[in-house]
Amino acid sequence: MLKHLTISFIAAFVLMNSARAEEKLIPVDAFVEQEKFNIPHLSPDGKHIAVSVRIKREKRNMLTMVVYSLPELKIVATHILPGFEVPVNFFWVNNQRLAIKKGLEVGYREPPVSTGEIIATNIDGTQVEYLYGYQNFKQSKRGERYGDDYAFGVIADVPYSRNGNIMVSSHEWRRARTNLYEINTNTAVRRLVADISMSDLDFTFQHDGKARFASGYDDNNKMVLFRFDDQAKEWQRTDSSKLGSHFSPLVFLPGDDEFYALQSNLGEPDSLIIENMNSGQRKVLFKDPVGSVEQIEFSAKPEIPFAITSSVGIPKAVYIMPDAPDAKLHKILSESFPDSYVHFINFSDDGQKLLFNVSSDRDPGSFYIYDRQTGKADLLFLNMSGLEPDQMASRKPIDFITRDGEKIMGYLTVPNNPQKKKLPLILLPHGGPIDIHDGWYFDRDAQFLASRGYAVLQVNFRGSSGRGPKFRDAGMKEFGGKMIDDLVDGLKWANTPPEIDSQRVCVYGASYGAYAAMMVPVKAPSLVRCAVGYSGRYDLVSRYSQDVTKESKKVENWLRKYMGDDMNKLASESPVNLAEKIKVPVFLAHGTKDEKTELGQAENMRRALQNAGNDPEWLLIKNEGHGFYDSEHQKEFYMRLETFLKKHLGS
């Protein structure tokens, strides 16, 4: 049975649990435990919930889709895909049927990779139908009719009518083309709805089910927007001068005369606007001078935005419709979970049941269901149960001014430190690096390091997302330049907090963060005592020799735009060519099957350091990809990391 929590007692429940936490060294196993529950969706009638669940199968924590009945939370069916296939996402088609987007999970450091296949199943696992994908000929009942799909499919929309159909956007491999199909999930019969000669477009649908907009980026990474013209019966491209730096339609209002969109005119942070379809008149609903729109809270049907959060600082809901019933409910729930953020996931179609998530900087997240008739919130699932939120470290927003006058923002995670000791510091640059940013919410790396007594600094350097196109584009061709300078300036800022020991600093990162971890001691050798690179790329020039670059003009143009194509400059900013300048101890970790940053990256970096007389510590794990997937391998890395840091920084 579910645990009932009346709204008036939720806060007390949280406080009582916090009071039980004890100060002790938290086992590594608690940090390598992957989130067991993810992407839950409440059924239209509110009687079932489908959720991605990790189950133990030999040494693997396999991702499955499990359907539970409510309120008893009884398992109806567990849907296990073959091999390393996982459910990337899934949607309720109606009360008895779900559509599933398939993918492959190849590494812990990256989300599952979509295979472009879509299947449908009843909630009890019967009547499985292959709807779209490269195995369509063999696996679909309509395979002889349609053949294999030389494209990957995306579930673009589930019609409000819940007529058993879904809308699937098709993105061809061999041509720059996006199609849109309406597919019956019971019969696999499909109907072509749209055919546009441009790749990777996203569709926006009206309440009547009609696709009205298609948006994306062309081969030169310029934003494009198509609008379907009812009179001409064709998709017409919008004048780019009307789009500004960024324009992305979101959802329509009832009646389909107006729609919500994200907009940036001159590179400033994205704002939320509403536009009239006939007049083109726009009204700004939310605008933050520093941060873009981060989280949007939607009401029950007809699913209208009622609250927004900014991407910088600690998330706090700004109510754009404060008197709406769902806004009032959000306020009540938020008051019941102090120091956390409440996110509405979805409602039942009648608006009486609500699935919501509660998370914070200390809490990896829990899922609840709220019943309007009873006024009760029931705890469904919680993640990383081996961690007590009260034992976790707080994450506070920070900002500083760089050497050239740019305002940079980030987060400082400070462990519980009742004795007021000077704390060693870990600089933790994020991966990406373009259009990625560190946020306030629970961060596994930061919390693990904090549990071992280290303060953790995360800097959203130029090129990061969350502050608009202008700030993102400020990182163009600065992978080894201003991005690294921002990190170094962050370390200099970290000299000011009294709790930080600026003489004991290490830099650790994964992917681009690993590249940065090698570059910081090159540019600022006096500021760090050690460096750790995990699944990193250490040779920028090699990006152009990857298959994904040679096969895609868009990827190649993206690299030329953001990383640059001056090969001499890229070589001069590649750590593999600068090993003699890295004088601090180094720890390198990599997987043999990493396809994003090939094994040769780590091997060449290791060899260069050895030739420079600085033999790094080394961890190579077989059959692992971009970040270790197996929990035992993650544990081994964390233990090696802990030992390395303690050796060079102390505890």
Side-chain angles (χ1 to χ4, degrees):
M1 294 292 291
L2 297 174
K3 185 172 183 178
H4 293 297
L5 299 173
T6 59
I7 295 304
S8 60
F9 291 122
I10 290 179
F13 171 80
V14 173
L15 292 173
M16 284 189 296
N17 274 282
S18 297
R20 296 192 190 107
E22 300 176 0
E23 292 296 334
K24 60 183 179 181
L25 189 64
I26 304 168
V28 178
D29 300 79
F31 290 98
V32 300
E33 178 188 348
Q34 293 174 304
E35 291 185 346
K36 187 174 182 180
F37 304 100
N38 206 357
I39 55 174
H41 294 283
L42 185 64
S43 65
D45 59 8
K47 294 181 179 180
H48 293 90
I49 184 172
V51 61
S52 173
V53 180
R54 290 189 182 275
I55 62 172
K56 192 74 173 180
R57 181 66 62 88
E58 296 179 348
K59 291 186 177 182
R60 286 182 59 204
N61 287 320
M62 297 177 56
L63 268 177
T64 65
M65 186 189 75
V66 180
V67 178
Y68 296 90
S69 61
L70 297 173
E72 62 271 17
L73 206 61
K74 180 180 179 181
I75 295 178
V76 175
T78 299
H79 302 262
I80 302 176
L81 301 180
F84 284 87
E85 293 183 353
V86 296
V88 173
N89 209 344
F90 38 84
F91 300 89
W92 288 94
V93 180
N94 50 45
N95 290 322
Q96 295 298 317
R97 199 153 177 79
L98 292 120
I100 303 173
K101 180 182 176 183
K102 293 172 65 176
L104 293 173
E105 195 163 40
V106 296
Y108 168 62
R109 286 282 161 180
E110 56 187 323
V113 178
S114 174
T115 61
E117 299 169 278
I118 298 171
I119 62 174
T121 178
N122 287 341
I123 58 176
D124 61 1
T126 61
Q127 296 186 26
V128 177
E129 295 293 343
Y130 192 97
L131 303 179
Y132 191 90
Y134 65 92
Q135 301 183 72
N136 195 68
F137 181 78
K138 291 183 178 179
Q139 297 196 25
S140 173
K141 66 168 60 174
R142 303 288 174 178
E144 292 187 358
R145 178 174 181 178
Y146 301 123
D148 288 333
D149 295 298
Y150 297 99
F152 65 89
V154 175
I155 301 172
D157 189 53
V158 178
Y160 274 98
S161 62
R162 300 201 182 276
N163 58 3
N165 295 347
I166 59 174
M167 306 301 292
V168 174
S169 59
S170 164
H171 308 269
E172 295 192 20
W173 299 338
R174 300 172 178 175
R175 297 186 299 170
R177 200 162 208 88
T178 304
N179 296 321
L180 181 67
Y181 294 98
E182 182 177 27
I183 302 180
N184 186 290
T185 62
N186 295 296
T187 65
V189 171
R190 61 179 71 169
R191 177 178 69 89
L192 181 65
V193 175
D195 182 359
I196 306 175
S197 57
M198 187 167 290
S199 61
D200 302 329
L201 297 176
D202 296 318
F203 291 91
T204 305
F205 298 84
Q206 298 179 165
H207 279 261
D208 64 5
K210 182 178 294 185
R212 180 60 64 187
F213 293 112
S215 58
Y217 294 86
D218 62 18
D219 283 347
N220 294 314
N221 293 283
K222 296 289 186 181
M223 182 157 192
V224 295
L225 179 70
F226 292 88
R227 175 173 170 171
F228 187 76
D229 187 291
D230 288 325
Q231 293 184 342
K233 302 295 182 184
E234 63 181 17
W235 289 90
Q236 297 180 348
R237 184 167 176 172
T238 303
D239 183 353
S240 59
S241 64
K242 297 180 180 180
L243 301 180
S245 298
H246 179 236
F247 186 84
S248 179
L250 296 176
V251 294
F252 277 81
L253 277 75
D256 298 324
D257 293 325
E258 294 179 307
F259 65 93
Y260 293 91
L262 296 178
Q263 177 194 39
S264 172
N265 280 324
L266 300 172
E268 75 280 5
D270 285 342
S271 57
L272 180 71
I273 68 162
I274 189 170
E275 179 174 326
N276 185 281
M277 285 288 291
N278 298 316
S279 67
Q281 183 176 358
R282 295 174 179 175
K283 177 183 178 182
V284 177
L285 302 178
F286 172 87
K287 185 178 181 65
D288 186 321
V290 181
S292 293
V293 172
E294 178 84 348
Q295 183 71 63
I296 302 177
E297 300 298 336
F298 289 90
S299 69
K301 279 191 172 182
E303 298 179 358
I304 301 300
F306 67 81
I308 308 292
T309 69
S310 171
S311 61
V312 300
I314 298 175
K316 183 178 180 180
V318 177
Y319 297 99
I320 57 177
M321 297 177 62
D323 296 326
D326 292 329
K328 294 179 179 179
L329 175 59
H330 190 273
K331 291 178 186 177
I332 293 173
L333 290 172
S334 297
E335 291 169 357
S336 301
F337 292 95
D339 302 321
S340 297
Y341 183 78
V342 174
H343 169 54
F344 285 7
I345 298 173
N346 76 307
F347 286 85
S348 57
D349 280 358
D350 62 6
Q352 294 302 302
K353 301 284 181 64
L354 163 68
L355 177 66
F356 68 95
N357 168 256
V358 178
S359 58
S360 73
D361 56 341
R362 298 169 179 249
D363 183 359
S366 305
F367 298 102
Y368 293 80
I369 189 166
Y370 175 76
D371 189 325
R372 268 200 164 100
Q373 293 182 342
T374 64
K376 293 179 179 178
D378 297 334
L379 175 63
L380 297 175
F381 315 109
L382 57 86
N383 282 315
M384 300 182 73
S385 57
L387 298 177
E388 284 282 356
D390 198 51
Q391 289 181 301
M392 298 295 99
S394 63
R395 291 166 60 76
K396 62 180 182 180
I398 61 101
D399 62 77
F400 58 89
I401 303 299
T402 65
R403 66 192 72 181
D404 60 349
E406 183 73 54
K407 185 176 183 178
I408 299 295
M409 311 182 83
Y411 295 87
L412 182 66
T413 303
V414 181
N416 298 324
N417 185 23
Q419 297 178 353
K420 305 298 181 183
K421 293 182 179 179
K422 282 276 192 177
L423 300 171
L425 178 73
I426 309 299
L427 174 64
L428 182 60
H430 65 68
I434 301 296
D435 255 356
I436 303 290
H437 73 278
D438 290 310
W440 172 76
Y441 293 102
F442 183 92
D443 185 290
R444 190 188 306 259
D445 278 345
Q447 291 294 351
F448 170 73
L449 293 167
S451 76
R452 268 51 187 169
Y454 302 102
V456 181
L457 175 64
Q458 292 168 280
V459 174
N460 285 321
F461 43 79
R462 271 167 272 207
S464 301
S465 59
R467 294 182 58 187
K470 183 178 180 180
F471 187 80
R472 177 201 63 204
D473 291 348
M476 287 194 302
K477 302 180 181 180
E478 296 291 347
F479 279 32
K482 291 180 180 179
M483 290 183 181
I484 305 300
D485 291 342
D486 290 346
L487 291 168
V488 172
D489 290 347
L491 283 181
K492 293 177 180 178
W493 168 88
N495 289 334
T496 58
E499 66 268 33
I500 303 300
D501 184 350
S502 60
Q503 300 303 308
R504 293 191 293 159
V505 177
C506 186
V507 55
Y508 151 55
S511 198
Y512 174 83
Y515 164 86
M518 298 301 112
M519 288 297 294
V520 167
V522 169
K523 285 202 164 189
S526 64
L527 296 183
V528 295
R529 294 171 92 178
C530 56
V532 181
Y534 180 26
S535 300
R537 177 168 299 282
Y538 308 108
D539 178 5
L540 296 182
V541 175
S542 65
R543 283 295 304 271
Y544 283 95
S545 62
Q546 285 187 294
D547 289 341
V548 67
T549 303
K550 293 185 288 187
E551 294 170 0
S552 171
K553 193 68 176 176
K554 180 179 287 188
V555 171
E556 181 183 349
N557 287 339
W558 186 95
L559 287 175
R560 294 185 187 282
K561 177 179 180 179
Y562 284 104
M563 194 176 75
D565 56 4
D566 183 336
M567 299 304 167
N568 291 328
K569 180 175 183 291
L570 294 178
S572 70
E573 294 178 343
S574 294
V576 72
N577 301 321
L578 301 169
E580 73 281 355
K581 294 184 178 182
I582 302 174
K583 304 298 185 181
V584 300
V586 173
F587 172 32
L588 299 175
H590 219 89
T592 61
K593 289 192 174 181
D594 191 336
E595 295 182 0
K596 184 165 289 188
T597 54
E598 318 85 273
L599 174 58
Q601 293 293 311
E603 291 177 329
N604 292 340
M605 189 71 236
R606 182 192 190 191
R607 189 177 303 112
L609 287 167
Q610 289 172 332
N611 292 338
N614 185 5
D615 194 2
E617 295 198 25
W618 179 252
L619 177 61
L620 181 65
I621 301 294
K622 293 182 179 180
N623 300 319
E624 285 286 7
H626 196 57
F628 304 154
Y629 180 92
D630 183 88
S631 58
E632 289 301 315
H633 294 157
Q634 295 173 34
K635 179 179 179 180
E636 182 178 359
F637 170 70
Y638 267 163
M639 293 180 70
R640 289 282 301 273
L641 175 64
E642 180 180 1
T643 301
F644 178 82
L645 295 176
K646 187 174 183 179
K647 176 180 178 181
H648 299 290
L649 298 182
S651 59

